Amino acid sequence: MKALLICFLFCTTSFIYFGQILEVNPVFPNVNDVVTITYNATQGNAALVGQSQIYCHAGLITSTSTSPTNWQYVQGNWGTADPTVAMTNIGNNKHTITIDIDQFYGFPVGTNVLKLAFVFRTANGSIVGRDTDGSDIYYDMYPVNAGLMAQFLHPSAGSILDLNGSLAVSAASNQSAVLTLKEDGNVLSTSSGTSLQYTLTATVAGTHLLEFEANDGTTQVIDSVYYTVNPVVVPQNPSYTNLVNGCNYINDSTIVLQLYAPLKQHIYVIGDFNNWLPTAAYHMNLSQDNATWWLQISGLTPGQRYGYQYYIDGSIRVPDPLSTVVLDPSNDAGINAQTYPNPHPYPTGHTTGLVSLIQPGAPVYNWTTSSFSGPAKKDLVIYELLVRDFVSKHNYLTLIDTLDYLQKLGINAIEVMPPMEFEGNQSWGYNVSLHMALDKYYGTPDHFRAFVDSCHGRGIAVIVDMVMNHAFGQNPMVNMYWDAANNQPAANNPWFNAVCPHQPYCWGNDFDHTRQATQKYLDQVNRYWMEAYHVDGFRFDYTKGFTNNGNNYDLTRMNLLKRMADQIWAFKPNAYVILEHWCDNSEEKQLADYGMMLWGNLAYGYEESVMGYPSSSSLNSGIYTSRTWTVPHLVSYQESHDEERVMYKSLTFGNATNATHNAKDLYTALGRAQAAAVIFLTQPGPRMLWQFQELGYDISIDNPCRTCNKPILWNYYTQARRRQLYDVYAATLALRNNYETFRSTNFQYDLSAAVKRMNMNHSSMNGVSLANFAVTTQSANPNFQHTGWWYEYFTGDSLNVSNPTATFSMAPGEYRIYTDVRLPKPVITSAPASVAELELSEFPLTLYPNPAQDQVSLQFTATQIEAVRTLIINEAGQIVSTINATTTIGVNVLDLNLANLPNGAYHLILHVGNKQANDAFIKHD
């Protein structure tokens, strides 16, 4: 029974060994052994060929590892000439190191060690030796006193040979035994001892079984591997027409996989349906174009998920470039079950790298809003967000819960930063690896559909941020044609430039958009997102890079973009095509005239405006006509994912020359942001907001680093002054959404002076918006369109105008919107009067007496000498008193004179250094 059990285990389990990269002596190491590791630098990725001194970076995979690649007890200080892991060069690009396993790794007694893990490097770590596919190198560990063991050292499972090629067979046992090698049941060799060597010739195409038997007279152990001999390739086309690259679902149990891969010799499909072995039945057929490969797979179970990869020319394992979902062994463990329930298990031990996932006969999502027509281009108000930094659970289901908030705000489109498969989990998403696969870190495909469906049900369009300028290292199309010697895409890569032609604006690997393969890929990806997810359009990242002609004016680039847009509109005529272009204005104007929209970065002007520096605060270039454009296709914005936050700029660098209106004070700066909202949202053409802009988000883009996770501060919405800013945004957007006047392309403007003005004209109603961005009172000229009665939107005040160009005074930060038709007064959160107004107090503050008469005293403790600034704010939200002082170490008491203040409720903000505390009090006689 023992012999039968051991035979069963060895025969039915698939292993991956790396005998060609590593030689390990003893062959069957356990935790008590001293082992010699020999690394062959010519194998694997061969990156270290010719290096005289190599260092071993070593670790273990144990039963407590969180994933198959989760190293533990790592040895070696990366980037240093660490003598503890220095290897001995024995010539012929082979390097050895001898280690006492338990002493070297230092793991506790009883640790269940499963595998040795390695990569190899130069002293500074700039060159790294890995397996062929770029993964780490592993070697199995064995139990102590395990009895008779036997295994193949070479070939590994799934080896590929050409006809008449030779295959070196190497096998070993841990004890002396009778050793037998069989091929397809026929004995090839028999010997006694602990090792067997044999060379066979591949004379018959197809898949063959090799068996290695070790028999010590008591126990028989059998190890087995399959190898496949490549067939003669005769080009033939599939029987189906209209196939696309990727997975074509023929019915609930049949698929046809298609891969564009010119110049490749043999491609196998490996997956859950064939135990991840490249067998003859899964050799792909080459179409008569001599570039496209295809394979029909039948007999699949409807509704069952299957993982698969392409195994190319016996050396490259890649997922399908047109995957819609992939398994990532390095990052999937970091995705919780609430975000992605019931994930498909990774085929650990069978393959490495990203794996494509398919599901024939999958349930079809039932759309509740099957037809949706988004706002006109000129009327778009886009809310750009990064799911990771917008909701703490970072998933689409939670994002759906925020739609009430966004709908009330008044936006009519959401632009999600790249949701397609990116490298790692924590990312902005611009390091794309697969463009058609939804990254699982934010949820399942049906969760994303539910998000789009919910948006459409509320009249909100969904725009996907698409990164088609570049792709990063996990991209299969990069890996299929890679120049390892120069660490760049190969010159014959059908999709990518070997060298990015538009330096210095290069990231990852640069697509060559002049190539037909790239264009076909791009069109298929775009169509998939519209078809599978019903998205309403795209914002294309850095389209200036869609060229091989540097950074100059480029007619070819424009034609490429027009071609792409035509393909999008052929499928969805009203789809939004938005470009981050940053090119010559004449080029952008032509693209706008063609129907595309383009980002218009006004961050600097709005930062200067809110900070209180009018001389450098012009906003004119946010108006499409100022750029000589004839169509309102300029998507202007104050903030985007790429820009510093306006509120942070004001708090850090604001104009502080007016003590009673200091743009560095949070309360004042939030009021000035209200003025910016009014003037921003009453301009013509599409607008864009960055997440939490409407609440005065003030965490720097570089805190703690540019692309790092940022605090998710939904508590801002409960703070009165920030809520007031939200209300002003919502009230102004209500004008824009409900009255054509505020979307009109008949307008005049003056956005370069301290007092900025928009005049909006329409037969139903005229409007005027004004905002003073100086830190002092200014004279404002409203340039009313006519005499007669005008009505201020926020206060409800009426004004009988006899001279349309007569000026009036506007306080610093003040804003107004006038219409010549009386409109309902919006509800704006009243000025703060509670301790929770702006922020939670960051240190204890005692305020007494309360209520107070002519004086109120503040008591707090300071640990160092720092500047003190005290603001007193009345019920109307005005700063009525500012007091500056300096702390002493210990208990501080500040006495504030209230004699000149009228009776009423007040809010007090105390700044001590970089911290603040808040309280409220009442003054009465």
Side-chain angles (χ1 to χ4, degrees):
M1 183 62 72
K2 178 181 178 184
L4 291 175
L5 176 61
I6 294 176
C7 177
F8 177 79
L9 288 174
F10 274 91
C11 290
T12 60
T13 305
S14 176
F15 295 93
I16 296 177
Y17 293 109
F18 297 92
Q20 65 270 40
I21 302 176
L22 298 182
E23 296 174 22
V24 178
N25 186 21
V27 173
F28 302 91
N30 63 60
V31 294
N32 296 330
D33 282 334
V34 175
V35 299
T36 297
I37 309 295
T38 302
Y39 166 60
N40 188 341
T42 66
Q43 301 300 309
N45 67 356
L48 293 172
V49 169
Q51 296 292 328
S52 60
Q53 180 60 64
I54 288 176
Y55 295 84
C56 164
H57 199 67
L60 301 173
I61 305 300
T62 76
S63 58
T64 61
S65 293
T66 58
S67 75
T69 59
N70 175 221
W71 286 29
Q72 297 184 338
Y73 306 103
V74 178
Q75 302 301 311
N77 295 301
W78 192 270
T80 67
D82 187 342
T84 64
V85 292
M87 304 187 76
T88 300
N89 187 342
I90 62 173
N92 294 324
N93 282 296
K94 289 188 175 183
H95 305 258
T96 69
I97 184 171
T98 299
I99 60 176
D100 185 334
I101 291 178
D102 56 354
Q103 298 301 313
F104 179 76
Y105 290 101
F107 48 80
V109 175
T111 300
N112 184 14
V113 180
L114 305 177
K115 293 178 185 291
L116 303 175
F118 302 97
V119 295
F120 302 90
R121 61 174 175 84
T122 53
N124 63 9
S126 61
I127 308 175
V128 182
R130 299 180 182 274
D131 189 31
T132 306
D133 61 1
S135 62
D136 301 339
I137 301 167
Y138 300 96
Y139 194 91
D140 284 338
M141 289 286 289
Y142 297 85
V144 177
N145 300 321
L148 180 63
M149 293 184 290
Q151 72 173 48
F152 282 103
L153 302 181
H154 192 269
S156 58
S159 292
I160 303 291
L161 281 78
D162 287 328
L163 270 173
N164 301 314
S166 61
L167 178 65
V169 179
S170 176
S173 63
N174 65 332
Q175 300 173 18
S176 182
V178 175
L179 308 178
T180 304
L181 175 66
K182 296 180 180 180
E183 179 186 42
D184 298 332
N186 301 312
V187 175
L188 298 179
S189 176
T190 299
S191 64
S192 297
T194 59
S195 66
L196 181 149
Q197 309 291 326
Y198 186 85
T199 300
L200 62 81
T201 300
T203 57
V204 179
T207 300
H208 304 276
L209 172 66
L210 289 178
E211 294 176 289
F212 173 55
E213 298 179 2
N215 191 328
D216 64 2
T218 302
T219 303
Q220 180 188 50
V221 176
I222 301 176
D223 189 19
S224 62
V225 295
Y226 287 94
Y227 76 93
T228 297
V229 180
N230 289 321
V232 174
V233 176
V234 178
Q236 58 178 314
N237 288 334
S239 58
Y240 300 100
T241 58
N242 300 318
L243 295 177
V244 296
N245 292 332
C247 180
N248 298 265
Y249 293 101
I250 305 303
N251 54 49
D252 287 355
S253 61
T254 303
I255 62 171
V256 174
L257 299 177
Q258 181 170 292
L259 175 68
Y260 183 73
L263 305 179
K264 300 303 180 183
Q265 302 303 307
H266 297 278
I267 302 178
Y268 291 84
V269 178
I270 57 176
D272 290 329
F273 34 70
N274 64 2
N275 204 32
W276 296 91
L277 293 175
T279 56
Y282 290 88
H283 186 280
M284 299 190 79
N285 304 288
L286 179 63
S287 295
Q288 291 177 351
D289 66 358
N290 289 311
T292 304
W293 298 78
W294 62 273
L295 179 69
Q296 179 174 320
I297 303 175
S298 303
L300 301 175
T301 302
Q304 182 171 319
R305 295 175 297 186
Y306 296 89
Y308 74 97
Q309 291 175 318
Y310 297 118
Y311 189 37
I312 302 174
D313 289 342
S315 62
I316 304 172
R317 298 168 185 258
V318 293
D320 196 314
L322 281 306
S323 301
T324 58
V325 178
V326 294
L327 307 178
D328 182 346
S330 300
N331 295 292
D332 285 355
I335 303 174
N336 62 55
Q338 184 178 19
T339 295
Y340 205 98
N342 190 29
H344 188 73
Y346 187 85
T348 303
H350 294 282
T351 192
T352 59
L354 299 182
V355 167
S356 300
L357 195 64
I358 55 172
Q359 187 179 14
V364 177
Y365 180 82
N366 183 24
W367 292 89
T368 58
T369 307
S370 56
S371 61
F372 172 77
S373 181
K377 295 174 186 177
K378 74 178 183 64
D379 299 337
L380 278 174
V381 180
I382 303 166
Y383 195 89
E384 185 191 16
L385 62 84
L386 173 60
V387 179
R388 183 197 74 184
D389 291 348
F390 193 61
V391 288
S392 59
K393 293 183 179 178
H394 63 73
N395 61 47
Y396 298 117
L397 294 181
T398 306
L399 186 60
I400 291 171
D401 295 337
T402 70
L403 294 181
D404 283 343
Y405 168 92
L406 295 173
Q407 186 177 19
K408 181 180 178 183
L409 177 63
I411 58 94
N412 54 27
I414 294 174
E415 179 184 309
V416 290
M417 285 172 68
M420 59 286 302
E421 182 71 24
F422 47 79
E423 313 226 343
N425 285 335
Q426 302 294 333
S427 172
W428 275 6
Y430 295 104
N431 54 340
V432 176
S433 50
L434 290 124
H435 291 83
M436 215 163 81
L438 190 76
D439 197 291
K440 300 191 299 298
Y441 188 68
Y442 297 141
T444 70
D446 277 355
H447 291 171
F448 186 68
R449 291 184 179 96
F451 164 69
V452 175
D453 208 8
S454 298
C455 287
H456 287 172
R458 298 167 182 267
I460 298 173
V462 176
I463 298 167
V464 169
D465 200 338
M466 187 65 71
V467 187
M468 281 297 183
N469 174 67
H470 57 267
F472 273 72
Q474 289 183 339
N475 182 275
M477 299 184 303
V478 171
N479 291 311
M480 287 164 61
Y481 301 85
W482 183 252
D483 179 355
N486 294 300
N487 196 34
Q488 65 188 31
N492 65 351
N493 191 303
W495 303 277
F496 293 92
N497 287 305
V499 178
C500 176
H502 46 81
Q503 296 284 354
Y505 306 108
C506 298
W507 306 270
N509 303 288
D510 188 73
F511 273 112
D512 181 353
H513 284 270
T514 66
R515 300 189 190 180
Q516 186 176 8
T518 300
Q519 295 170 17
K520 185 175 181 179
Y521 174 76
L522 174 63
D523 294 342
Q524 185 175 345
V525 169
N526 290 339
R527 176 164 177 164
Y528 174 78
W529 284 89
M530 293 185 289
E531 192 169 37
Y533 294 118
H534 292 195
V535 301
D536 303 290
F538 307 96
R539 176 266 188 189
F540 288 97
D541 184 65
Y542 199 69
T543 51
K544 185 176 182 178
F546 281 39
T547 181
N548 296 332
N549 188 32
N551 297 296
N552 301 319
Y553 177 92
D554 192 350
L555 179 61
T556 298
R557 173 173 49 212
M558 284 192 291
N559 289 336
L560 288 169
L561 288 166
K562 291 176 181 179
R563 186 213 65 80
M564 178 188 73
D566 286 340
Q567 291 296 313
I568 291 172
W569 292 329
F571 180 76
K572 190 167 189 171
N574 60 346
Y576 308 116
V577 178
I578 304 172
L579 311 179
E580 182 196 35
H581 204 54
W582 310 146
C583 287
D584 181 90
N585 183 63
S586 61
E587 188 172 323
E588 296 199 348
K589 181 178 184 297
Q590 292 180 56
L591 294 170
D593 287 342
Y594 200 74
M596 289 171 260
M597 293 178 281
L598 298 99
W599 264 23
N601 184 352
L602 271 293
Y604 181 80
Y606 282 100
E607 289 168 356
E608 295 293 294
S609 296
V610 176
M611 287 192 293
Y613 302 110
S615 63
S616 52
S617 69
S618 176
L619 305 177
N620 286 342
S621 63
I623 304 293
Y624 70 96
T625 55
S626 76
R627 304 188 182 202
T628 71
W629 296 14
T630 57
V631 287
H633 288 174
L634 182 66
V635 183
S636 297
Y637 55 86
Q638 301 181 43
E639 296 180 7
S640 76
H641 67 270
D642 263 337
E643 313 306 327
E644 184 57 273
R645 312 305 166 218
V646 170
M647 191 54 49
Y648 171 81
K649 292 278 287 194
S650 190
L651 297 179
T652 308
F653 305 109
N655 189 334
T657 57
N658 183 351
T660 61
H661 189 87
N662 180 354
K664 285 187 174 181
D665 289 326
L666 180 58
Y667 188 93
T668 302
L670 287 169
R672 297 179 64 83
Q674 294 177 25
V678 165
I679 210 68
F680 171 65
L681 295 175
T682 53
Q683 295 172 34
R687 311 279 94 187
M688 188 180 79
L689 284 66
W690 167 244
Q691 63 184 31
F692 297 130
Q693 172 184 325
E694 71 284 359
L695 294 174
Y697 193 83
D698 53 20
I699 306 298
S700 171
I701 191 174
D702 294 317
N703 182 12
C705 75
R706 186 175 184 83
T707 60
C708 290
N709 294 43
K710 298 297 187 293
I712 301 171
L713 301 176
W714 281 98
N715 59 300
Y716 277 176
Y717 188 66
T718 66
Q719 299 164 9
R721 186 63 159 172
R722 294 187 190 273
R723 175 63 181 271
Q724 199 174 63
L725 174 59
Y726 173 94
D727 290 345
V728 170
Y729 265 97
T732 310
L733 281 172
L735 290 179
R736 185 182 176 97
N737 293 335
N738 296 326
Y739 303 99
E740 185 61 35
T741 301
F742 294 90
R743 305 190 299 274
S744 173
T745 55
N746 182 357
F747 59 89
Q748 295 82 40
Y749 64 95
D750 180 359
L751 299 174
S752 58
V755 177
K756 304 188 188 304
R757 184 190 74 237
M758 286 298 307
N759 294 87
M760 298 143 283
N761 313 307
H762 193 262
S763 57
S764 62
M765 180 173 63
N766 295 299
V768 179
S769 61
L770 302 129
N772 176 17
F773 289 103
V775 296
T776 57
T777 298
Q778 298 287 308
S779 178
N781 176 8
N783 194 32
F784 286 117
Q785 287 91 325
H786 58 77
T787 61
W789 286 102
W790 289 80
Y791 308 94
E792 208 286 312
Y793 177 52
F794 293 102
T795 63
D797 293 343
S798 55
L799 180 66
N800 195 348
V801 173
S802 57
N803 180 0
T805 60
T807 61
F808 49 72
S809 293
M810 292 185 72
E814 185 181 359
Y815 55 87
R816 304 179 190 179
I817 296 178
Y818 286 101
T819 58
D820 57 6
V821 174
R822 185 184 292 276
L823 301 176
K825 179 181 173 182
V827 177
I828 306 294
T829 299
S830 61
S834 71
V835 73
E837 191 280 326
L838 295 172
E839 304 280 356
L840 295 176
S841 290
E842 297 177 281
F843 58 87
L845 170 66
T846 302
L847 183 152
Y848 60 91
N850 188 10
Q853 294 183 341
D854 292 337
Q855 178 177 294
V856 67
S857 297
L858 311 179
Q859 181 176 309
F860 61 94
T861 300
T863 58
Q864 58 186 344
I865 297 175
E866 294 184 285
V868 176
R869 185 173 180 81
T870 306
L871 305 178
I872 298 177
I873 303 165
N874 66 14
E875 291 180 276
Q878 300 169 315
I879 299 174
V880 295
S881 179
T882 304
I883 301 96
N884 297 318
T886 303
T887 64
T888 59
I889 297 176
V891 176
N892 287 252
V893 177
L894 296 180
D895 297 324
L896 308 183
N897 188 344
L898 309 179
N900 294 325
L901 297 182
N903 292 342
Y906 294 88
H907 189 83
L908 181 141
I909 303 175
L910 176 67
H911 291 276
V912 178
N914 294 323
K915 295 184 177 181
Q916 71 176 36
N918 307 270
D919 210 339
F921 66 91
I922 303 294
K923 185 203 170 179
H924 69 85
D925 293 333

